[in-house]
Amino acid sequence: PQNMLEQQLCDLFAVQLGQKQYSRNESFLDAGGSSLDVVSILSSELLDNINIDEFCMHPSPAELSSYILGKKKPTTALIPISISSCDKRSMILCPYAGGGIFSFNTFVRKIKERLPDTSFYYLGWETDIQQATKEIIEIAEHSELAIYAHCAGVSLAFNVFEEIYKLERDAKNIKFFVGGMILPRRAF
């Protein structure tokens, strides 16, 4: 650890995960931290002003410490959940009412079993739509890309869809999956 806050975060992560020590650059989620572990950690006084999205964008003690100390601002609108080394396919997951980033754990695990070369990103409620759209288009340039939304997340996905079509008329390699959506009768 390079500063006192990093050391405290390493100690906090190690205790939560039952480890003797914790590396400053190791992602809490990759080290086996679950959604309940994150909630537990976020309840500590040390992380009093950090929300789940901020934690997931800065999952290592080094990143989180820099973020807290104001040295590093978020540079991405999409939160990486699970990144594949070959990155042939990518999926953007939109939140839904009553669910957040951790509600997709089983979904991601099941797809990874069948398609291990898939990377997953999460599009949070507070996302800057224009920045997210630019990042999505960049990902789609080198990867098959799917955007998945259902329930309340559909409205967020529609905002992204609109921006994509404004910026990029030919979005053939971007697939949109919308499920569980309830439309008013007038929409038909």
Side-chain angles (χ1 to χ4, degrees):
Q2 294 185 346
N3 59 49
M4 179 65 87
L5 180 57
E6 263 187 38
Q7 181 63 57
Q8 291 172 321
L9 290 169
C10 285
D11 293 344
L12 180 65
F13 287 20
V15 168
Q16 185 65 39
L17 296 175
Q19 299 176 359
K20 289 187 180 191
Q21 58 184 10
Y22 197 90
S23 166
R24 68 182 291 273
N25 292 313
E26 186 174 13
S27 165
F28 185 77
L29 304 171
D30 290 343
S34 69
S35 57
L36 293 176
D37 291 323
V38 172
V39 170
S40 177
I41 278 188
L42 290 178
S43 69
S44 77
E45 194 172 311
L46 188 61
L47 298 175
D48 194 30
N49 294 317
I50 300 296
N51 66 42
I52 288 178
D53 283 348
E54 290 170 320
F55 183 87
C56 292
M57 287 180 78
H58 311 284
S60 72
E63 291 173 284
L64 195 53
S65 171
S66 291
Y67 179 72
I68 291 170
L69 297 174
K71 294 178 186 171
K72 190 174 183 182
K73 300 293 181 213
T75 57
T76 180
L78 301 175
I79 302 170
I81 297 175
S82 175
I83 305 301
S84 167
S85 57
C86 62
D87 211 20
K88 285 184 178 178
R89 296 178 186 88
S90 295
M91 183 171 277
I92 310 297
L93 304 170
C94 296
Y96 59 91
I101 193 168
F102 295 107
S103 58
F104 288 107
N105 285 348
T106 302
F107 180 77
V108 168
R109 190 173 55 252
K110 294 278 186 190
I111 291 178
K112 284 293 231 185
E113 287 171 6
R114 291 182 178 200
L115 302 168
D117 58 350
T118 304
S119 292
F120 293 88
Y121 301 88
Y122 180 75
L123 185 66
W125 288 115
E126 301 299 318
T127 299
D128 175 334
I129 298 296
Q130 284 80 25
Q131 178 63 31
T133 301
K134 289 175 189 170
E135 292 174 27
I136 288 167
I137 290 171
E138 285 175 22
I139 292 169
E141 287 175 1
H142 68 274
S143 169
E144 284 182 26
L145 179 70
I147 299 175
Y148 176 76
H150 71 278
C151 195
V154 171
S155 63
L156 180 63
F158 278 148
N159 289 335
V160 170
F161 301 163
E162 259 184 357
E163 285 298 313
I164 287 172
Y165 286 113
K166 280 182 198 173
L167 298 175
E168 179 117 349
R169 301 233 183 260
D170 183 24
K172 291 178 186 169
N173 54 339
I174 301 176
K175 308 290 185 240
F176 301 104
F177 298 96
V178 178
M181 185 172 132
I182 299 172
L183 292 173
R185 288 182 160 209
R186 286 187 217 151
F188 297 107

